[in-house]
Amino acid sequence: MLINEVETLLNLSKKSIRYYESEGLIKPERNKYNDYRTYTKNDIETLKKIKLLRELDVSIEEIKKLFKGTITLKECLNSRISKIETYEKNLKGIKF
């Protein structure tokens, strides 16, 4: 699958897809005839996971740790919940 197709399928910008590639989260193959990126089903599934995690405001660094297996999904999401709770407390503290 080419980047235009991935962009349409997942509703992700080319810039985002290339950024995730530059961060080492995906590694699309290159077509040997034209050097275009070719995205596999695994790349698509990985991008779906990244998109969901980013929608939950999980950082790229946390996603890298998750994919490397240095943290679990539960740890990742608990960390995110903790940050949200801290943010909520801070907002309540500045409320008049």
Side-chain angles (χ1 to χ4, degrees):
M1 190 175 284
L2 298 176
I3 196 165
N4 289 339
E5 297 167 309
V6 175
E7 180 181 33
T8 302
L9 177 69
L10 300 180
N11 196 28
L12 282 173
S13 69
K14 290 177 192 174
K15 184 177 179 179
S16 293
I17 296 166
R18 289 184 180 127
Y19 175 71
Y20 300 142
E21 180 183 352
S22 74
E23 289 294 316
L25 295 171
I26 58 170
K27 295 178 179 99
E29 298 173 4
R30 291 284 188 160
N31 182 311
K32 65 180 178 180
Y33 300 108
N34 57 20
D35 204 36
Y36 290 174
R37 292 171 178 85
T38 304
Y39 297 88
T40 64
K41 287 183 181 182
N42 281 344
D43 293 325
I44 302 302
E45 290 304 312
T46 300
L47 285 168
K48 285 179 182 178
K49 291 174 188 174
I50 293 168
K51 182 178 179 184
L52 174 62
L53 291 166
R54 293 299 295 143
E55 288 172 354
L56 295 171
D57 207 24
V58 175
S59 72
I60 294 297
E61 292 306 314
E62 290 287 309
I63 294 171
K64 285 180 182 180
K65 290 177 185 176
L66 183 61
F67 286 0
K68 287 179 184 175
T70 57
I71 62 170
T72 65
L73 180 58
K74 184 176 181 177
E75 292 169 329
C76 179
L77 295 178
N78 282 339
S79 171
R80 185 67 198 119
I81 290 168
S82 176
K83 289 176 185 174
I84 291 169
E85 288 171 346
T86 299
Y87 182 71
E88 181 182 30
K89 286 178 188 174
N90 290 338
L91 286 177
K92 285 181 181 178
I94 62 172
K95 191 175 180 182
F96 290 62

